[in-house]
Amino acid sequence: MKSGARALGVAESYRAETSQFAGAVVRASRVADGFVFSTATVGGSDATETVCAMVDRLDREDVRYLLVAGIAPAWFNILDLEQIHDHTDLPVVSVTFESSPGLAGAIREAFDDPDVVQDRLATYRAQPERRPVTVNDETVYVRSVGLDDSAAADVVRAFTPEGGRPEPLRVARLAARGLVEME
């Protein structure tokens, strides 16, 4: 991948009812050259719209990939990767950093309202399967829309110069945490 290729990484951090979302545009050469910020409701259902609006506000034609940290930010505010891809026309790659049996059981335990549970489970189950990807001797778990599994793994590796966290997601996470600490 060319060193000037850019990815937007989106991560979040929260303490109470509002989650701070941060987006960081990072080149494959590890240079950060743009940021965008927004909020979503903790336990809400607005994370997909938040990410789409962030991409719209950023308005960067040079961004080639959208990386998101997981699919359940802001306490199970499930991201719909296909909807994000359709809206942004960007390949969307979700990266998680731990093995898990999935979120279905946790979603059922987290919410009392059966309609809320069913809506979140439907969105969750509609997402592509996670695939393990080895990056710098670490394993991350990747879902993608708009890229096949091999290309998604290549993107994750290209934007991960060390460790297992792609640089756009690492920088976005730091920015989101900084916003929360300012509250």
Side-chain angles (χ1 to χ4, degrees):
M1 180 164 308
K2 293 182 181 179
S3 64
R6 289 166 175 82
L8 171 62
V10 175
E12 60 91 32
S13 186
Y14 70 88
R15 280 199 188 137
E17 294 176 4
T18 302
S19 178
Q20 299 293 333
F21 276 55
V25 177
V26 179
R27 298 181 199 168
S29 64
R30 295 189 265 178
V31 174
D33 71 1
F35 290 91
V36 63
F37 302 95
S38 194
T39 60
T41 308
V42 173
S45 59
D46 57 349
T48 297
E49 292 79 18
T50 295
V51 171
C52 290
M54 290 171 72
V55 174
D56 290 347
R57 265 198 344 277
L58 187 63
D59 195 26
R60 293 277 301 260
E61 292 182 15
D62 57 345
V63 170
R64 292 185 51 204
Y65 308 100
L66 174 58
L67 281 65
V68 294
I71 63 163
W75 197 60
F76 305 113
N77 195 331
I78 307 293
L79 293 172
D80 185 329
L81 303 181
E82 187 73 41
Q83 185 177 339
I84 294 169
H85 170 69
D86 289 346
H87 180 87
T88 64
D89 201 31
L90 290 170
V92 180
V93 180
S94 168
V95 183
T96 55
F97 307 99
E98 296 176 12
S99 174
S100 81
L103 298 177
I107 291 169
R108 283 188 195 96
E109 288 178 22
F111 299 96
D112 294 328
D113 184 333
D115 292 333
V116 170
V117 170
Q118 288 307 92
D119 288 346
R120 285 172 206 272
L121 286 175
T123 302
Y124 172 66
R125 289 181 177 139
Q127 303 314 302
E129 290 294 317
R130 290 186 336 149
R131 305 271 186 249
V133 173
T134 302
V135 182
N136 300 323
D137 297 325
E138 294 189 33
T139 300
V140 296
Y141 301 88
V142 174
R143 302 172 197 259
S144 65
V145 176
L147 290 174
D148 65 29
D149 292 344
S150 176
D154 289 344
V155 167
V156 170
R157 289 183 187 112
F159 282 93
T160 310
E162 59 186 39
R165 190 172 300 266
E167 195 69 0
L169 294 178
R170 188 187 75 77
V171 174
R173 185 175 91 173
L174 288 172
R177 285 183 174 176
L179 288 171
V180 167
E181 289 175 11
M182 289 176 48
E183 293 179 343

